[in-house]
Amino acid sequence: MDALKLWSLSSQPLKHLFRCASSITTTTLRRPYSYSYSSSSHSRVVLRCCSSTTTTTTTTNAGGRNRRVSTSSSTSDRDAVRAIRLKKVEELRSKGLEPYAYGWERTHTANQLQDIYKHLADGEESKSEKDAVSVAGRIVARRAFGKLAFLTLRDDSGTIQLYCEKERLANDQFDQLKALVDIGDIVGVSGSIKRTEKGELSVYVDSFAILTKSLLPLPDKYHGLTDVDKRYRQRYVDMIANPEVADVFRKRAKIVSEIRRAVESFGFIEVETPVLQGAAGGAEARPFVTYHNSLGRDLYLRIATELHLKRMLVGGFEKVFEIGRIFRNEGISTRHNPEFTTIEMYEAYSDYESMINMAEEIVTRCALAVHGNLTIDYQGVEIHLERPWRRETMHNLVKESTGIDFDEMGNDLKVAKEVTLENLGGDLDYKDKSSLEACTSIGHLLNEVFEIVVEPKLLQPTFVLDYPIEISPLAKPHRRIAGLTERFELFICGRELANAFSELTDPTDQRGRLEEQVRQHNEKRAAAISKTESAEDKGKLNDESYEVTLDDDFLTALEYGMPPASGMGLGIDRLVMLLTNSASIRDVIAFPVLKVQQ
C-alpha cells in the first residue's frame, strides 16, 4: 500500500520548509513535545512548537552569545503552522505517499519492548532476525545532531525512543525525516532493538512512514495545556499534553470493570432500561425534556434507573443491576455534572443490611484493583478503607456534632427550629439560616442540620443510617422506630457515595407518598409563580422550577406484587474521583458539558 511505502530516493529534502518549520519545534528530549536540531557542529538552533502564551527562539550570533527573542503567540501563529504542514501533506502526496494511512502492522507495543529487552546492556544491539520489530504511535519529542536523530514515540502503553542514523536509513529518508516529520505526527517504524550508550532502550530504525500527518502544534511542554476550560473542551489535546490525564480514564475503565465483576460474583444480572421515559421518577430532580415527533409527546431523560429495575423484580428477576448514564437538569459544581454514571442494583428477599456489605465489597475491590492497598490519599487526607466501616444513625451523628437531640423534640417544629438556631445561629450564613427556617417538618429540619454541619466532617467511610420518612419516599418504614425509614447513605471525604433502602413494596403506601411529594412540590411551584412580578423573575423561575409527574405504570406494577427487596445506587464518578485523587468531577468525565464559547 502507498501508506506503507518507503520514502522515495528521487526527492530532495524540503529545506525551505524545514527552515520555515523552525518556529514550530522544541528543545530537549527529556521534555516531551520538544526537540532541538543542530544544523552543524558549530551552531545550534533551538526551536519551539507551542500554543502557549509566548514563543521563544534562541539563536547564536557571531560573538557566540545567545540572543533570546520572544514573540506573542496567537491564532495567526497556529494558522501559519497549519499552512506549513499542509504543504508537507502536498509534498508527501506528490511523492506517491499517503499521509493518512489505512493501517500499520505492529509486532509490539512500547511497554512490551521495554519489558522484553530490559536485559540489554548499554551499547548492546539485538541483531537476530527474530528481534526485528515494528511499532507505531505519536511523536512527542525529537532532537537531531548532524547525522543522528532521536525521536520519542508514544503509544497507548508508554514510550520508546527511536534511534535514527543517516547511514542506516535507505535513500534520503533521514533528510526527509528531518524535513517532514513534526511533533504530533503519528508514524510507523521498523527496525531492530538497541540500548544506547546512555542506557536508553531504542528502536534502531531501518524504515518509517508517516501514518497520520498532524496539522496543528501540540502545547509547549514548558507550559503544558494549563487552561482549565480548554483542557475540558479539548480533552483529546489534554490527554496528549498531560499523559496523567489519560491514566485517570484508564483507571476509570478498570474501576467500572471491577464493579461489574464484583456485582456479578454475587449472582446479579446486568439489564438495560430506557433512557427516554414518559415520567421522570426514582428521585426528585429537574429532568431534561425532549419531544418525540412520531409519538407526538414529551419524553424525559431518566433521572434514575430505579423504577424500571424494580419492574424487573416484579417480572420475576431476583438480582438485577444497571450501569448507566443519569441526566439531571441542575447545577454544575466540582461534585455535580448534568450527566453522570451510576450503578443501581436490586436484590429480592433482602433488606438494607445486605447492601452495606455490597457497598464495602465494591469500594474495597476497586481500591485494591487501582492501588493494591486499602489506605489511599485524597487531596492530602489519608483515607482508610479497611472493613468494617463505621455505622451510625443520622440522629446520633447530629447529636454528636451539635449537641441537639432531635429525639427529644417530638413533633413541635417551632421549638425544634428555635433550639437549632440558638445552638447553631452564630456559625450559620444567611443561606443556611433560610434553609433551616424553610423546613416544613422535623424530619426535614434534622436532614438540613445533618447536611450543613455533619456531612462535611465525614471524611472516613461512614454509613449514615435511618433517615426521616419525609425525605425517603421510596424506602420502607423502619420496623422499630416510627417516623424513620430503613435507609442508609455512604459518605467518604464529606461526599455521598451511595444511597440504599429496604425497598417500599406496599403499593398503597407508595402511591400516597409519591402523591404527597407531587403535591408539596406543586404547592411550592405555585407559590413561587404567584410571587413572580417581572419578566426577568419569570425567566429565573422557569430555570429553577419544574413539574413533577407521577409514574402510574410503576404503581400499577407494584400492585401486581414486588418481593421484599433491598436496593442501592452508587455514584461511579465520585468513586473514580476518590480512587484517582481528582478534585473535580470534570476531571473524571472525559467530555463534560460546558458553556458555549463566546
Side-chain angles (χ1 to χ4, degrees), residues 37-50:
Y37 167 70
S38 295
S39 57
S40 73
S41 60
H42 303 292
S43 64
R44 179 169 179 144
V45 183
V46 180
L47 315 167
R48 177 173 297 175
C49 165
C50 81

Side-chain angles (χ1 to χ4, degrees), residues 175-189:
D175 294 325
Q176 293 186 20
L177 179 147
K178 292 195 299 183
L180 294 173
V181 175
D182 295 297
I183 293 174
D185 289 353
I186 297 172
V187 303
V189 172

Side-chain angles (χ1 to χ4, degrees), residues 400-474:
E400 179 183 291
S401 292
T402 67
I404 303 172
D405 189 348
F406 276 84
D407 287 330
E408 296 178 351
M409 301 291 183
N411 291 317
D412 195 330
L413 180 60
K414 182 179 178 181
V415 170
K417 286 183 179 180
E418 290 174 354
V419 172
T420 300
L421 291 172
E422 181 181 342
N423 278 267
L424 305 179
D427 299 323
L428 299 175
D429 59 24
Y430 176 78
K431 181 181 178 181
D432 289 337
K433 285 183 180 179
S434 298
S435 297
L436 292 171
E437 290 170 349
C439 289
T440 56
S441 71
I442 295 288
H444 282 103
L445 184 63
L446 170 66
N447 183 64
E448 199 69 34
V449 173
F450 170 79
E451 290 184 353
I452 294 171
V453 180
V454 181
E455 188 174 312
K457 300 177 182 177
L458 299 178
L459 301 181
Q460 300 303 324
T462 304
F463 291 107
V464 180
L465 308 173
D466 304 343
Y467 279 58
I469 198 168
E470 299 96 317
I471 61 168
S472 310
L474 295 164

Side-chain angles (χ1 to χ4, degrees), residues 26-176:
T26 55
T27 59
T28 82
L29 183 63
R30 293 181 183 176
R31 299 180 180 274
Y33 328 128
S34 61
Y35 74 91
S36 62
Y37 167 70
S38 295
S39 57
S40 73
S41 60
H42 303 292
S43 64
R44 179 169 179 144
V45 183
V46 180
L47 315 167
R48 177 173 297 175
C49 165
C50 81
S51 58
S52 56
T53 308
T54 61
T55 303
T56 305
T57 302
T58 305
T59 61
T60 305
N61 61 22
R65 301 174 65 182
N66 288 340
R67 177 171 56 86
R68 297 180 66 84
V69 180
S70 295
T71 58
S72 297
S73 177
S74 65
T75 303
S76 61
D77 296 331
R78 195 174 80 152
D79 290 343
V81 170
R82 186 172 182 274
I84 291 169
R85 295 193 180 189
L86 281 170
K87 289 180 180 178
K88 296 183 182 183
V89 169
E90 293 174 7
E91 178 65 19
L92 287 167
R93 286 181 170 148
S94 73
K95 299 174 185 298
L97 297 166
E98 174 53 55
Y100 298 99
Y102 288 89
W104 181 263
E105 190 170 329
R106 296 192 294 180
T107 61
H108 299 83
T109 66
N111 270 9
Q112 285 173 341
L113 293 178
Q114 298 283 4
D115 184 58
I116 293 170
Y117 294 98
K118 60 186 176 183
H119 65 278
L120 280 185
D122 292 356
E124 184 181 354
E125 178 187 355
S126 289
K127 298 181 180 179
S128 68
E129 191 173 314
K130 68 180 180 63
D131 291 320
V133 301
S134 176
V135 296
R138 189 183 298 274
I139 300 301
V140 295
R142 62 172 281 178
R143 55 180 177 160
F145 305 97
K147 296 181 180 182
L148 286 178
F150 299 92
L151 291 76
T152 301
L153 178 144
R154 182 195 294 152
D155 63 16
D156 184 56
S157 71
T159 61
I160 189 79
Q161 179 171 270
L162 307 181
Y163 184 98
C164 306
E165 194 171 54
K166 184 178 178 70
E167 285 74 16
R168 188 175 177 104
L169 289 169
N171 305 327
D172 61 351
Q173 272 201 299
F174 185 79
D175 294 325
Q176 293 186 20

